[in-house]
Amino acid sequence: MNRILLASAFLLVSIPAAFADGIPSAAPTAVGPVPAAVSPVPAAVSPAPKAPAPKLVEPHLHIARSNLAGHARIALTFDACMGQADERILSTLVGERIPATIFVTARWLKRNPAAVAVFLQNPDLFELENHGQNHIPAVDTPTLIYGIASAGSPQAVRQEVEGGAAAMVAAGIPAPHWFRGSTAKYDLSAIGEIRAMGYRIAGYSVNGDGGSLLGAVITEKRIASARDGDVVISHINQPTHAAGEGVAKALVDLKAKGTQFVRLEDVEDTGDDKTTE
């Protein structure tokens, strides 16, 4: 037995130091208090609580009804966000002499001078209003809406509104009185800020083209379903999307039914969430 113990001791002494550091120490026979020199393992740090998401609203807007059987009164509104003018819609509006309210961004104005000229040449048809400077949602706290970052502060909301209006005036368009923000969603504080700037905020009651992402057939059906007093929202800036075809056909169909088309500036209106009060 003594020979075995001496052999084991000799082997341990012979292991190089580089490997000795990796050999675990023998477990202690008794567990005592942690020595003062050893720092305790820090407790897990809880993540900072996230700021609550702002409460967003998507206001409705209606206009005064005609109350005439077979002659429903409808306000057509079109957003011109970015991209190019949809000539399918624009040529139908001009050719059929159908009035509409067009919400333009500063970015769209820069890219579409020919379409702007058509609008200005037909003041009896087109009312041009403010869709903002850079198509940023008019929400004064940071959030994402459909993947788009909001303005994020009252100052940024003001810049979005004022920048859009300044671009319109620079393009020879009369100063706007209505504002519709990107995504048509707002928080209540931003609504108050925009109203304090003197703007009415344009909601809607019929979503005609689902942000221009719907097919032609369903777009046509949606717009054709508009009733007396409705405000329809569609887009006039996506010429490659099928929705534009449905918009153009729906306009012709509605006109054939005796629909009375009006611009927002032509009639009384009622908006919820204090957007027009």
Side-chain angles (χ1 to χ4, degrees):
M1 177 64 70
N2 290 335
R3 292 180 179 178
I4 294 174
L5 291 175
L6 288 173
S8 298
F10 175 78
L11 287 172
L12 286 174
V13 172
S14 301
I15 296 175
F19 297 106
D21 289 341
I23 297 176
S25 302
T29 55
V31 178
V34 177
V38 179
S39 299
V41 178
V45 178
S46 300
K50 293 183 179 179
K55 178 182 178 181
L56 302 181
V57 296
E58 192 167 356
H60 293 92
L61 179 67
H62 289 86
I63 57 172
R65 298 176 180 177
S66 71
N67 292 318
L68 298 174
H71 295 281
R73 178 184 292 158
I74 295 172
L76 297 173
T77 69
F78 292 93
D79 288 358
C81 313
M82 294 168 279
Q84 302 295 328
D86 191 332
E87 291 295 337
R88 297 169 298 181
I89 300 173
L90 182 54
S91 62
T92 299
L93 292 171
V94 174
E96 298 291 336
R97 307 308 295 169
I98 296 176
T101 302
I102 315 294
F103 287 86
V104 296
T105 66
R107 297 172 68 176
W108 189 87
L109 289 175
K110 291 179 180 179
R111 298 189 62 179
N112 295 275
V116 174
V118 173
F119 291 147
L120 295 178
Q121 291 163 6
N122 293 275
D124 58 321
L125 293 181
F126 300 115
E127 170 191 1
L128 299 179
E129 297 293 350
N130 189 359
H131 196 32
Q133 182 176 21
N134 290 308
H135 201 247
I136 296 173
V139 174
D140 60 15
T141 55
T143 190
L144 290 176
I145 308 172
Y146 305 134
I148 305 174
S150 66
S153 70
Q155 296 79 11
V157 169
R158 175 174 288 274
Q159 178 59 45
E160 175 71 1
V161 177
E162 291 183 342
M168 294 177 69
V169 172
I173 300 170
H177 302 288
W178 286 86
F179 177 80
R180 175 182 286 156
S182 166
T183 73
K185 291 181 182 288
Y186 314 83
D187 54 353
L188 295 178
S189 53
I191 287 176
E193 294 155 13
I194 297 167
R195 292 289 289 125
M197 296 171 66
Y199 287 91
R200 302 171 79 79
I201 297 175
Y204 61 90
S205 57
V206 175
N207 186 337
D209 62 359
S212 82
L213 298 177
L214 297 178
V217 174
I218 190 171
T219 295
E220 179 185 354
K221 289 181 178 179
R222 282 196 178 193
I223 297 177
S225 72
R227 299 181 178 181
D228 197 13
D230 271 333
V231 176
V232 179
I233 181 176
S234 297
H235 292 74
I236 196 169
N237 66 300
Q238 295 290 356
T240 64
H241 290 193
E245 177 186 344
V247 172
K249 191 170 189 310
L251 299 184
V252 175
D253 293 344
L254 285 172
K255 181 181 178 182
K257 293 178 180 178
T259 301
Q260 177 188 0
F261 298 103
V262 296
R263 303 170 298 184
L264 292 182
E265 65 182 354
D266 296 331
V267 289
E268 294 182 356
D269 54 75
T270 303
D272 55 16
D273 297 308
K274 298 183 178 180
T275 50
T276 60
E277 292 179 1

